[in-house]
Amino acid sequence: MKISLDWLRTLIPTDKSAAEIGALLTGSGLEVEGIEELESIPGGLRGVVIGEVLTCQKHPDADKLSLTTVDVGDGTPRQIVCGAPNVTAGQKVVVALDGATLYPSQGEPFKIKKSKIRGAASEGMICAEDEIGLGTSHAGIMVLDTPLPNGTPAAEYFGLGSDSVFEIGLTPNRADAASHFGVARELRALLRQPCHLPEIGHFHAPATAKRNIRVEIQDETGSQRYAGLLLDNVKIGPSPEWLQRRLRSIGLSPINNVVDVTNFVLHELGQPLHAFDADQIPGGKIVVKRATEGEKFVTLDGAERTLRAADLVIAGAAGEPLALAGVFGGKTSGVSDATTRVFLESAYFAPAAVRRTAQTHQLKTDASFRFERGTDPHMVPIALKRAALLLQEIAGATIAAPIVDVYPTPIAHTLVRLRLPRVEMLVGQYIAPERIRQILTDLDILISEESEDGHEWILAVPPHKVDVTREADIIEEILRIYGYNHVALRPHNSASFLAKFPNPDPEVLRQNIARLLSGQGYSEIITNSLTNSQYFEKEGQPADELVRVLNYNSADLNVLRPSVLHSGLEILRHNINRRQRDLKLYEFGKTYQRDADGKYQEKNKLAIFLTGNATAETWQHKSEKSNFHDLAAAVQQVLAALGHPAPAPQPVQHPYLAGGLALLAHNQVVAQLGAVAAGVLKRLDVSQPVWYAELDWDWLVRKYKNALAARELPKFPEVRRDLSLVVDRSVTFEQLRQIAVRAERKLLQTVTVFDVYEGDNLGEGKKSYSVSFILQDPTQTLTDQAIDAAMQRLIGQFEKQAGAVIRR
């Protein structure tokens, strides 16, 4: 769940930094998994200020350049050479100071440095709008009309703010915090300062209306409260920039003003809303009921679904479904560009009913996410009024009728008994009753009764605290806000255990290989084991091999990954899109699959990723692109460190690689490596080539060899001999290497290929390998006779086993 700090501060004003708020929330149980800094434009115009041109004269050595002095507010005018035709003295301008990095509308970012232009010193740059990413015009510099003093940051003039977005790992029991207001309530207790709901005091609806949408709840177990509001004169169109910016900050794409308002209120208050085209509600009546078994219904995504009798639906007067309650709207009743009358729905649906429908039809939406966990029935009318006021402001809507609010049996607070001595017993530390009272008040938990001795309280827990139903839950709430870190450890805490330690220890091996790869410049990543099934379905993976998540929270995370590749590519895409293009990454991760017998398999893999330049450009040499051999070298080092220094290579057809190579040890495939297929990169939106290797970590750990052998360096010289072998095109170098190793086991040390040639003069279907052989005898100096004999044995076997012709 994403929470915008800028948005949060509209509900609870605080000057705490993002890091401080993140620490507070994590300590209270709302774990902040990351904080992302968002800027309106790249760079946020840091180092760019408003200045004033004091003087302007022609450059003495360039007709089209001007020599200016500019006041930037620090008392030291800057001399700046400017090529714009419209620069003149007295102008207020945008100035990039020395050291500022600019992100133009087109092209790569560049850094401003002091320099000499045609012999004249220039200490900055007077900017055009395209040079700072604010537009596309390059006709001249930007001339401002502003009373702001010189030196004012340009970001302040243009209204460019930055924002921090928290990624909160919301646990299923914390439905009360599934919104910005929910997080604000949490901070109210942590900071002990007030928070407030958005202003809705000026909401006004007519007392009566000639025509209004009627509401009937036929199933009160599935829907305990249903409210709606009719709006006229609605003009569908794009949302204003502030609203689009709010939605984008939490990862939502703007659609139109009506839909955007419902999404905005959902994420602000935690109450899902749905907008119906009022003219498409048959009979002008809403009926909340169970579906008819087997009836067909087309949802907003255009899919026809077969309903079950357990599905809770919003229907028209005659019972025809208009929406799956709390889950998804219908295609015919949704808002379109032609809509002018909107009926806004705000309701409280039973979590079990929504969960059952969402699971049956495999639909996961932001609304169902909240309804399944439990929403606040008291928020129903507040959210409705908030949305109506926003639509009045941005869509020209008028409130055409009073709110229809059907609430047959109001949901009461939950009564829970709290014994204060029990608090000390479970927490392990005394907490003063006054502090407990303050915490409960800040959490909206009321003390309705107290015993005569003050040791026992009867508490009224509001409905939005869906997970607080017992005394232990109350004590947990107290401890969360009091702070786990404030509970002192006892002086004699201890732990002991006896356990068998595996040999080899997989964790020790993992750390050793991690150090090996990190030493080569690779960075370790940890990715989610849950991923998107479409990655594999579109690439031909058999559907019955995928391990599917039955009750997934997001359609993007609906299977356990059968390969580590796609999770890593998402990380590469994230970094490449932020101009980090030269990447060397590795991950120890699990993969999951079902075999032909339907049994589940979990395997450990080591994945290695390589993309971009292998070396950065320096004055000594140019940058070089990463290639297969860079990846293969890293894989070979890992295998050698695990006791498998000479795996046998063989070509392999890998579903995700554009031609790959398998490495075998003891006839077992221990690694597969190659270039990621272009189709896979395109599907993941990765814009540059990627080299990938996947190693069977389970097998490598199981077959780990820790035999370290030391031997004396040879005292006698080695000898090199070269041969040029003409063979059939189908013969690989690995086949030739194996022939050589078998033919000359005593003297042959290494075999390498240094040239491969194919040409018409060799004959059709032929190619030539130029191969070098290193011969050495550790006991004596080799004689010409011994060398010639060894080479003759090699030549004979090449001719016999590979049909080679020796080029002389």
Side-chain angles (χ1 to χ4, degrees):
M1 181 185 70
K2 294 183 182 294
I3 295 293
S4 158
L5 178 56
D6 190 41
W7 193 344
L8 192 63
R9 282 176 172 152
T10 65
L11 303 172
I12 180 167
T14 175
D15 57 359
K16 295 284 186 183
S17 68
E20 290 173 316
I21 291 176
L24 285 171
L25 293 175
T26 298
S28 73
L30 295 180
E31 183 181 359
V32 176
E33 298 174 340
I35 303 175
E36 182 180 4
E37 298 298 326
L38 294 182
E39 296 171 328
S40 301
I41 64 171
L45 296 186
R46 283 185 290 273
V48 182
V49 300
I50 293 175
E52 182 178 356
V53 181
L54 301 178
T55 65
C56 178
Q57 59 187 16
K58 288 294 181 183
H59 191 293
D61 296 322
D63 293 338
K64 294 185 178 181
L65 298 179
S66 299
L67 201 59
T68 68
T69 55
V70 183
D71 178 12
V72 293
D74 60 359
T76 305
R78 304 291 202 279
Q79 178 173 289
I80 298 176
V81 176
C82 180
N86 63 328
V87 63
T88 186
Q91 293 173 330
K92 283 290 188 86
V93 293
V94 178
V95 182
L97 301 176
D98 176 40
T101 299
L102 301 186
Y103 295 80
S105 300
Q106 293 184 343
E108 295 294 319
F110 59 94
K111 190 172 184 178
I112 302 300
K113 299 179 180 179
K114 292 181 181 179
S115 61
K116 284 192 175 183
I117 301 177
R118 292 291 184 92
S122 186
E123 303 173 284
M125 186 172 98
I126 306 175
C127 303
E129 66 177 38
D130 67 323
E131 293 168 334
I132 56 176
L134 288 178
T136 58
S137 174
H138 194 70
I141 60 170
M142 300 180 72
V143 180
L144 311 179
D145 182 10
T146 175
L148 290 174
N150 300 332
T152 301
E156 181 179 331
Y157 172 80
F158 291 109
L160 301 178
S162 60
D163 193 7
S164 298
V165 177
F166 302 104
E167 183 67 47
I168 295 179
L170 194 69
T171 52
N173 64 313
R174 292 305 308 274
D176 61 300
S179 66
H180 285 75
F181 182 67
V183 175
R185 276 189 306 216
E186 189 82 355
L187 287 174
R188 174 184 62 190
L190 294 168
L191 298 174
R192 301 187 67 181
Q193 70 180 68
C195 70
H196 59 84
L197 285 163
E199 176 58 45
I200 57 172
H202 55 290
F203 174 86
H204 175 74
T208 60
K210 291 182 179 180
R211 53 175 185 167
N212 196 0
I213 304 296
R214 294 164 292 144
V215 173
E216 177 187 352
I217 300 179
Q218 292 184 2
D219 190 320
E220 294 184 10
T221 60
S223 177
Q224 292 164 277
R225 186 173 193 177
Y226 191 98
L229 180 64
L230 184 62
L231 303 174
D232 271 347
N233 303 317
V234 178
K235 298 179 181 63
I236 306 294
S239 296
E241 178 58 32
W242 71 265
L243 178 53
Q244 294 191 35
R245 188 169 62 249
R246 282 277 189 257
L247 295 178
R248 289 194 187 100
S249 70
I250 57 172
L252 297 181
S253 299
I255 299 173
N256 62 49
N257 46 12
V258 174
V259 176
D260 291 351
V261 163
T262 61
N263 285 332
F264 175 83
V265 174
L266 164 68
H267 288 275
E268 182 177 60
L269 302 179
Q271 173 61 43
L273 302 175
H274 185 68
F276 292 99
D277 186 326
D279 293 328
Q280 302 301 320
I281 299 176
K285 184 179 181 181
I286 289 288
V287 180
V288 186
K289 60 186 278 292
R290 298 288 174 171
T292 302
E293 182 72 32
E295 69 179 315
K296 305 296 183 182
F297 175 57
V298 180
T299 46
L300 273 171
D301 58 359
E304 183 180 74
R305 304 180 188 276
T306 302
L307 303 185
R308 299 174 58 185
D311 293 332
L312 188 69
V313 298
I314 310 301
E320 58 274 49
L322 302 176
L324 292 173
V327 181
F328 214 31
K331 188 173 182 65
T332 59
S333 61
V335 171
S336 68
D337 292 343
T339 299
T340 59
R341 298 176 69 238
V342 170
F343 183 71
L344 281 179
E345 167 196 279
S346 182
Y348 176 85
F349 297 119
V354 175
R355 188 181 304 116
R356 188 181 301 112
T357 299
Q359 181 61 33
T360 297
H361 299 286
Q362 293 294 290
L363 286 170
K364 295 294 181 180
T365 61
D366 284 343
S368 68
F369 176 86
R370 286 156 178 81
F371 279 129
E372 286 179 25
R373 287 157 175 76
T375 55
D376 182 3
H378 297 163
M379 192 63 71
V380 168
I382 296 171
L384 208 54
K385 293 176 182 179
R386 171 66 164 157
L389 291 172
L390 288 171
L391 289 174
Q392 278 186 321
E393 175 187 342
I394 69 173
T398 57
I399 300 172
I403 290 177
V404 180
D405 190 357
V406 181
Y407 197 10
T409 307
I411 299 173
H413 283 44
T414 303
L415 298 180
V416 180
R417 181 180 68 158
L418 176 66
R419 294 163 290 178
L420 295 187
R422 185 77 173 168
V423 176
E424 181 177 358
M425 186 184 79
L426 290 183
V427 172
Q429 182 168 306
Y430 174 76
I431 303 177
E434 294 77 14
R435 179 66 179 126
I436 294 175
R437 189 185 300 270
Q438 179 65 52
I439 291 172
L440 294 175
T441 301
D442 290 339
L443 292 174
D444 293 327
I445 299 175
L446 307 177
I447 303 173
S448 60
E449 293 182 31
E450 294 188 44
S451 63
E452 291 184 3
D453 60 5
H455 292 165
E456 187 172 312
W457 298 349
I458 302 298
L459 306 177
V461 181
H464 69 261
K465 289 282 185 184
V466 295
D467 66 323
V468 182
T469 58
R470 306 169 301 164
E471 183 180 48
D473 299 332
I474 294 288
I475 296 172
E476 182 184 4
E477 292 292 289
I478 294 168
L479 183 55
R480 283 195 313 103
I481 304 304
Y482 179 75
Y484 296 103
N485 293 337
H486 293 155
V487 178
L489 291 175
R490 296 180 180 181
H492 303 297
N493 282 351
S494 64
S496 63
F497 63 90
L498 293 174
K500 251 181 113 174
F501 291 95
N503 186 26
D505 188 334
E507 182 59 25
V508 172
L509 289 183
R510 192 197 70 78
Q511 291 176 0
N512 290 341
I513 297 304
R515 282 193 289 267
L516 172 67
L517 290 170
S518 297
Q520 296 179 39
Y522 287 83
S523 298
E524 185 173 8
I525 59 173
I526 301 174
T527 61
N528 197 344
S529 293
L530 295 173
T531 187
N532 193 330
S533 62
Q534 292 188 7
Y535 291 157
F536 311 100
E537 292 167 345
K538 292 180 179 179
E539 289 161 9
Q541 178 99 13
D544 55 358
E545 292 183 1
L546 296 176
V547 180
R548 299 183 183 275
V549 180
L550 297 180
N551 189 24
Y552 54 82
N553 288 330
S554 167
D556 292 334
L557 302 172
N558 62 349
V559 294
L560 289 165
R561 63 186 178 191
S563 170
V564 189
L565 171 63
H566 300 78
S567 304
L569 289 178
E570 290 177 339
I571 300 297
L572 292 177
R573 177 184 64 202
H574 180 87
N575 284 274
I576 291 168
N577 290 345
R578 285 155 181 80
R579 302 179 185 277
Q580 298 296 321
R581 298 189 174 94
D582 303 331
L583 300 167
K584 300 168 72 174
L585 307 175
Y586 68 93
E587 177 180 13
F588 293 92
K590 294 181 181 294
T591 62
Y592 308 84
Q593 212 159 354
R594 294 179 66 184
D595 60 20
D597 299 327
K599 295 181 180 179
Y600 295 105
Q601 295 182 341
E602 177 181 294
K603 298 180 180 179
N604 289 287
K605 303 289 184 180
L606 168 58
I608 304 176
F609 301 85
L610 192 58
T611 186
N613 291 326
T615 57
E617 185 175 16
T618 69
W619 64 273
Q620 293 176 306
H621 56 78
K622 294 182 178 180
S623 59
E624 295 181 359
K625 293 290 184 184
S626 301
N627 58 47
F628 173 83
H629 301 288
D630 296 321
L631 178 69
V635 173
Q636 291 278 10
Q637 285 195 326
V638 170
L639 295 177
L642 295 171
H644 305 283
Q650 77 175 26
V652 66
Q653 294 297 322
H654 192 284
Y656 307 135
L657 300 180
L661 192 68
L663 300 181
L664 285 72
H666 304 290
N667 293 320
Q668 170 71 30
V669 175
V670 295
Q672 298 184 74
L673 59 158
V676 179
V680 177
L681 295 177
K682 183 177 180 181
R683 191 163 293 117
L684 272 292
D685 198 23
V686 177
S687 59
Q688 62 189 47
V690 176
W691 298 99
Y692 172 70
E694 187 171 286
L695 286 74
D696 187 344
W697 184 249
D698 288 326
W699 191 92
L700 291 171
V701 170
R702 192 166 58 249
K703 299 295 184 179
Y704 170 66
K705 297 179 181 178
N706 192 24
L708 181 63
R711 63 182 180 182
E712 184 181 6
L713 291 175
K715 298 178 180 178
F716 303 98
E718 62 184 28
V719 175
R720 169 174 168 165
R721 291 291 185 267
D722 296 341
L723 288 178
S724 183
L725 308 173
V726 178
V727 294
D728 290 340
R729 188 174 296 167
S730 60
V731 176
T732 66
F733 169 70
E734 178 60 21
Q735 291 173 303
L736 296 178
R737 191 186 71 83
Q738 292 288 349
I739 293 171
V741 170
R742 291 192 298 266
E744 182 54 59
R745 297 180 182 273
K746 181 180 178 182
L747 301 181
L748 185 62
Q749 304 298 317
T750 60
V751 184
T752 56
V753 59
F754 59 89
D755 189 32
V756 180
Y757 172 74
E758 293 184 50
D760 295 337
N761 58 333
L762 291 179
E764 185 177 354
K766 298 292 184 178
K767 62 181 174 182
S768 171
Y769 286 106
S770 295
V771 184
S772 68
F773 304 88
I774 302 298
L775 305 174
Q776 188 177 44
D777 189 334
T779 62
Q780 62 183 352
T781 300
L782 286 173
T783 63
D784 290 340
Q785 293 82 353
I787 296 170
D788 291 341
M791 294 306 298
Q792 286 302 318
R793 283 193 293 273
L794 290 172
I795 291 171
Q797 291 302 313
F798 287 142
E799 292 174 337
K800 179 180 178 181
Q801 298 186 41
V805 175
I806 311 302
R807 297 179 69 189
R808 303 182 186 276

